[in-house]
């Protein structure tokens, strides 16, 4: 029995899927498979990885408070950065989408223009502002509020938060603004015609319809902060490390690649869980527009 050749539609589908599949295979699946295997291997006295299956790297990660404590600290910083980015983005995106009638595109471009500037340049800009001889200390001494430079501005937890909020707020603002723009204006007018005030219309109509965008933006800020190591290194100094700085040290100075692989796998698992949870939440709130699901009229 002769096997029939694939149809043109199937060949076209294969042509479209194959590049993406190969990209995922070589740049995501295989590297993480390598990390997973390496996380169960040991090292010799020179720090070289040897094929000696062991659970010691995993035991070290969960036993040492340095790693688990840094992981929780990273979660805390990511949560603060995400909350602050959303708090800045929602009112700003609302103002641009609903209040501006002229120059809307220009203001939106000015808000997202920091994305076109190098990450390192933006981080160093905060060093110039918060440093001992920086703009903030100079201003405080010029006004007489302080008589000596304040050392606590830079290389602190709040320097990290301020820098990361500045860097990641445009990532939150873009999906929030798009969500606001896609809200049908007749729904807002109908709410006002039925007697709802501005605050009620925002809380009961606008914000629920924009929640998928808020969730998408929050996911960007949270996941990107979890994996950030350059911002904490430049603004937090060596005493304020996040989990990605631990990975960098384990693969570099400490030369403990199995333990670094364990941390990498734990971070991958956490990110996948966060993405799955936010995808489900975004899908649930998106049902508002279609009238289906838990918030709609039909199941």
């Amino acid at each position: 029995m002769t096997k029939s050749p694939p149809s043109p539609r199937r060949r076209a589908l294969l042509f479209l899927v194959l590049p993406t599949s190969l990209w995922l295979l070589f740049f995501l699946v295989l590297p993480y498979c390598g990390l997973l295997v390496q996380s169960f291997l040991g090292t010799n006295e020179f720090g070289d990885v040897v094929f000696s299956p062991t659970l010691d790297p995993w035991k070290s990660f969960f036993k040492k408070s340095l790693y688990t404590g840094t992981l929780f600290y990273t979660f805390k910083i990511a949560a603060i950065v995400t909350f602050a980015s959303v708090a800045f983005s929602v009112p700003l995106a609302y103002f641009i989408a609903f209040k501006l009638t002229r120059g809307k595109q220009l203001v939106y471009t000015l808000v997202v223009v920091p994305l076109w500037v190098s990450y390192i340049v933006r981080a160093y800009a905060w060093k110039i502002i918060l440093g001992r001889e920086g703009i903030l200390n100079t201003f405080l001494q010029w006004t007489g509020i302080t008589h000596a430079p304040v050392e606590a501005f830079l290389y602190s937890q709040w320097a990290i938060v301020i820098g990361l909020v500045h860097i990641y707020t445009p990532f939150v603002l873009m999906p929030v603004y798009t969500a606001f723009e896609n809200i049908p204006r007749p729904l807002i007018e109908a709410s006002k015609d039925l007697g709802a005030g501005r605050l009620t219309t925002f809380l009961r109509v606008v914000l629920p319809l924009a929640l998928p965008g808020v969730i998408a933006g929050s996911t960007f800020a949270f996941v990107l902060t979890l994996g950030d190591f350059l911002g904490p290194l430049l603004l937090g100094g060596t005493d304020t490390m996040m989990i990605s700085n631990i990975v960098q040290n384990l693969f570099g100075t400490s030369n403990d690649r199995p333990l670094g692989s364990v941390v990498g796998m734990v971070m991958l698992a956490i990110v996948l869980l966060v993405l799955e949870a936010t995808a489900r939440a975004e899908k649930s709130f998106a049902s508002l527009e279609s009238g289906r699901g838990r918030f709609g009229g039909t199941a």
Side-chain angles (χ1 to χ4, degrees):
M1 182 175 177
T2 306
K3 190 175 180 180
S4 60
S7 63
R9 183 179 179 182
R10 180 170 294 184
R11 284 200 297 268
L13 182 63
L14 184 64
F15 179 77
L16 292 175
V17 171
L18 188 60
T20 305
S21 301
L22 290 175
W23 189 91
L24 289 174
L25 177 65
F26 285 105
F27 296 106
L28 185 66
V29 177
L30 288 180
Y32 273 105
C33 286
L35 280 182
L36 180 62
V37 172
Q38 192 169 245
S39 69
F40 290 100
L41 299 180
T43 56
N44 59 22
E45 62 270 23
F46 302 107
D48 298 325
V49 178
V50 295
F51 189 77
S52 173
T54 176
L55 291 175
D56 288 345
W58 288 88
K59 292 178 180 177
S60 298
F61 175 80
F62 288 104
K63 282 183 178 178
K64 293 184 178 178
S65 61
L66 170 65
Y67 306 121
T68 54
T70 306
L71 186 61
F72 284 114
Y73 176 76
T74 304
F75 265 106
K76 186 182 77 171
I77 295 293
I80 295 173
V81 170
T82 303
F83 178 80
S85 298
V86 171
F88 281 118
S89 298
V90 170
L92 184 56
Y94 181 85
F95 175 76
I96 298 173
F98 291 101
K99 299 301 181 183
L100 286 183
T101 55
R102 299 177 60 184
K104 180 185 294 188
Q105 191 59 43
L106 174 62
V107 175
Y108 176 75
T109 302
L110 290 175
V111 173
V112 301
V113 77
L115 293 178
W116 302 343
V117 180
S118 167
Y119 182 104
I120 295 179
V121 171
R122 284 179 282 166
Y124 267 104
W126 281 108
K127 295 190 74 169
I128 294 173
I129 295 172
L130 302 175
R132 177 182 173 82
E133 307 296 334
I135 296 172
L136 183 57
N137 267 318
T138 303
F139 174 76
L140 292 177
Q141 292 177 80
W142 177 72
T143 57
I145 297 176
T146 60
H147 299 288
V150 180
E151 302 282 354
F153 291 148
L154 191 60
Y155 303 128
S156 66
Q157 172 182 304
W158 295 110
I160 298 174
V161 171
I162 292 171
L164 294 183
V165 168
H166 167 234
I167 290 169
Y168 293 132
T169 291
F171 287 98
V172 182
L173 184 133
M174 287 190 291
V176 175
Y177 172 75
T178 303
F180 280 145
E181 281 289 316
N182 290 332
I183 294 176
R185 298 307 189 259
L187 287 177
I188 300 174
E189 295 301 325
S191 174
K192 293 178 179 177
D193 291 342
L194 291 173
R198 291 183 179 180
L199 181 60
T200 303
T201 299
F202 177 78
L203 294 177
R204 301 291 296 274
V205 178
V206 176
L207 189 58
L209 290 174
L211 275 179
V214 176
I215 294 171
S218 303
T219 306
F220 278 133
F222 191 80
V223 171
L224 291 175
T225 303
L226 280 181
D228 199 304
F229 75 96
L230 194 55
L233 185 64
L234 294 176
L235 300 173
T238 54
D239 295 332
T240 311
M241 290 194 300
M242 290 171 61
I243 195 67
S244 294
N245 302 111
I246 295 286
V247 175
Q248 181 196 21
N249 288 337
L250 289 172
F251 276 97
T253 307
S254 301
N255 195 26
D256 192 344
R257 286 178 286 171
L259 186 53
S261 301
V262 171
V263 182
M265 294 308 301
V266 171
M267 291 297 296
L268 175 65
I270 292 172
V271 169
L272 290 178
L273 287 175
V274 171
L275 292 178
E276 176 63 19
T278 54
R280 287 175 179 270
E282 192 175 343
K283 188 176 180 181
S284 296
F285 285 108
S287 65
L288 277 168
E289 295 185 28
S290 61
R292 297 192 299 271
R294 54 183 295 195
F295 297 100
T298 58

